[in-house]
Amino acid sequence: MNVDTAAAVAERFEELYGAEPEGVWAAPGRVNLIGEHTDYNDGFVMPFALPHTAVAALSRRTDGVLRLHSQDVERGVVELRVDDLEPESDRDWTAYPSGVVWALRQAGHAVTGADIHLASTVPAGAGLSSSAALEVVVALALNDLYDLGQKGWQLARLCQRAENVYVGAPVGIMDQTASACCEPGHALFLDTRDLSQKQIPFDLAAEGMRLLVVDTRVKHSHSEGEYGKRRAGCEKGAALLGVDALRDIAYDDLAAALDRLGDEEEVRRLVRHVVTEDQRVERVVALLESGETRAIGPVLTEGHASLRDDFRISCPELDLVVDTALASGALGARMTGGGFGGSAIVLAEAADVETVTKAVEEAFAAAGFTAPRVFEAVPAAGARRVRWPGR
């Protein structure tokens, strides 16, 4: 995100509210390299931040009024009162920023109102965490303005609570932590049980490779029922196996655990995915740390097969991306994000990017699908303040 973008958001804020904002902040969307549907099972994930960001201009208020405006929604300023914010009372886009205000106040932070103008370049519904970016940028801004003293991981926790309780979407902690804590040029190896983090260098360009994001333009929503069903199934599996979370099932013990589940076929599939996916994250970390970057390709592809066949959250468009990319010479490919649409990632040699991209676009046209959006993903910075007028 450049200085011109921050200036434009600040200028629009002043047009809306009649005064200069106290600051401008940015928080990115994310791509998850590996580790899907493991975060709410206390497992491992490995996201990195995108250059695409949600940008917010804010000023404090002392009268209990919260005013919200988005450049990306065709409606005027929405005015709410912070004392009236209640979980699941809002089904509009405003639930994400107002949910953050609610979560901060529930945690004992004296947020007395704000004027907020937002703009985002994170594609909505593409599985790239547009909602988490929106939450984190508001949380960071309020943290700075009200001197709340919260660290990035603490803000991520509050944003997750906002989405779980206020919005009503049963998401894990990965998206918010990625948006708040990622560093440029790195992927974030995150243990979602204790939130311990390790920044893993991830510079594909230096090794002659690229990672493409293919947005299928098939929209998905975390708050719809299928995501919740998968989470409930995982919790059932943990209960039947007598563990706190599926994270506690060691990969070497998987076969025995599946035998213990007997004829619970759906639960068996979910358990198998989560346990093998945690192991895939650890394999990718080991390969990257040993300099064997190209070798992660087949591991990504394994992850897609598991999400498609065991977790059953892929769709024809995502499968077409993966199959076509691999047939065109890609090193690996998989769906990324919550599933039921959204995006896939493709690891390819730099010299093969044009061939792979053209093949995917032609395959979509031949299938009669909406043309996909394809772009390169380069690990970017996490949430930060980008403008601080007068301070």
Side-chain angles (χ1 to χ4, degrees):
M1 197 212 70
N2 58 40
V3 175
D4 290 342
T5 302
V9 171
E11 183 178 337
R12 181 60 176 140
F13 179 98
E14 190 166 353
E15 292 172 359
L16 289 164
Y17 300 120
E20 185 180 28
E22 290 187 84
V24 180
W25 291 259
R30 65 96 188 97
V31 162
N32 192 24
L33 183 64
I34 192 73
E36 218 66 77
H37 288 268
T38 50
D39 60 344
Y40 53 80
N41 289 291
D42 282 1
F44 304 124
V45 294
M46 199 173 185
F48 63 86
L50 288 168
H52 306 71
T53 57
V55 183
L58 277 88
S59 287
R60 291 166 292 181
R61 297 182 66 98
T62 59
D63 58 0
V65 171
L66 176 64
R67 295 197 291 183
L68 302 167
H69 184 269
S70 171
Q71 178 178 297
D72 309 306
V73 179
E74 292 185 3
R75 58 182 295 187
V77 173
V78 176
E79 185 169 315
L80 305 167
R81 294 200 62 83
V82 296
D83 288 341
D84 296 336
L85 300 178
E86 292 289 342
E88 299 194 51
S89 61
D90 187 350
R91 296 299 180 186
D92 208 346
W93 72 270
T94 50
Y96 297 100
S98 63
V100 169
V101 174
W102 172 84
L104 286 168
R105 286 168 57 84
Q106 284 283 306
H109 300 296
V111 177
T112 55
D115 288 338
I116 303 176
H117 170 58
L118 293 148
S120 180
T121 58
V122 185
L128 303 175
S129 299
S130 58
S131 59
L134 201 62
E135 293 158 357
V136 170
V137 74
V138 171
L140 179 62
L142 293 171
N143 183 60
D144 286 353
L145 288 175
Y146 282 96
D147 295 319
L148 303 181
Q150 300 294 290
K151 304 294 186 184
W153 66 269
Q154 294 171 308
L155 294 176
R157 279 282 196 216
L158 288 164
C159 289
Q160 182 198 18
R161 176 167 168 75
E163 191 153 353
N164 287 170
V165 180
Y166 194 90
V167 178
V171 300
I173 191 63
M174 174 181 66
D175 296 351
Q176 292 83 3
T177 306
S179 186
C181 300
C182 278
E183 294 181 3
H186 293 75
L188 178 68
F189 177 36
L190 173 68
D191 182 335
T192 66
R193 169 162 283 171
D194 62 12
L195 295 189
S196 60
Q197 304 176 16
K198 187 175 184 180
Q199 301 286 344
I200 307 295
F202 191 57
D203 184 359
L204 294 177
E207 301 187 59
M209 287 174 284
R210 300 289 187 272
L211 190 76
L212 302 177
V213 174
V214 183
D215 176 5
T216 65
R217 300 187 186 270
V218 177
K219 301 299 183 185
H220 75 113
S221 173
H222 280 160
S223 56
E224 292 177 0
E226 290 300 320
Y227 183 99
K229 289 179 184 177
R230 301 306 188 280
R231 181 163 185 165
C234 290
E235 291 168 352
K236 180 179 180 181
L240 289 171
L241 293 168
V243 294
D244 291 336
L246 294 183
R247 151 72 174 278
D248 297 312
I249 304 298
Y251 179 76
D252 290 343
D253 298 333
L254 176 58
L258 295 178
D259 285 344
R260 288 167 57 198
L261 291 171
D263 60 0
E264 292 276 359
E265 183 55 34
E266 182 177 359
V267 175
R268 283 165 54 90
R269 287 190 289 99
L270 298 178
V271 170
R272 183 166 52 228
H273 166 73
V274 172
V275 175
T276 58
E277 187 78 347
D278 272 335
Q279 194 246 7
R280 280 186 284 272
V281 177
E282 293 182 296
R283 286 164 62 195
V284 167
V285 171
L287 288 167
L288 291 176
E289 290 189 324
S290 64
E292 301 175 76
T293 305
R294 283 174 174 79
I296 75 171
V299 186
L300 303 184
T301 305
E302 285 177 30
H304 182 77
S306 182
L307 289 162
R308 180 192 64 211
D309 301 335
D310 277 344
F311 231 65
R312 299 189 181 180
I313 58 171
S314 189
C315 66
E317 291 86 351
L318 288 167
D319 292 340
L320 184 60
V321 173
V322 172
D323 294 343
T324 303
L326 294 173
S328 304
L331 298 166
R334 74 172 191 91
M335 59 155 285
T336 187
F340 311 105
S343 298
I345 56 173
V346 177
L347 180 68
E349 302 287 356
D352 294 334
V353 165
E354 186 175 341
T355 299
V356 170
T357 300
K358 183 178 180 183
V360 169
E361 291 172 343
E362 289 178 347
F364 267 57
F369 295 152
T370 300
R373 178 188 181 205
V374 185
F375 60 92
E376 182 183 351
V378 178
R384 66 273 188 200
R385 187 180 69 240
V386 294
R387 198 172 185 215
W388 198 243
R391 289 184 62 171

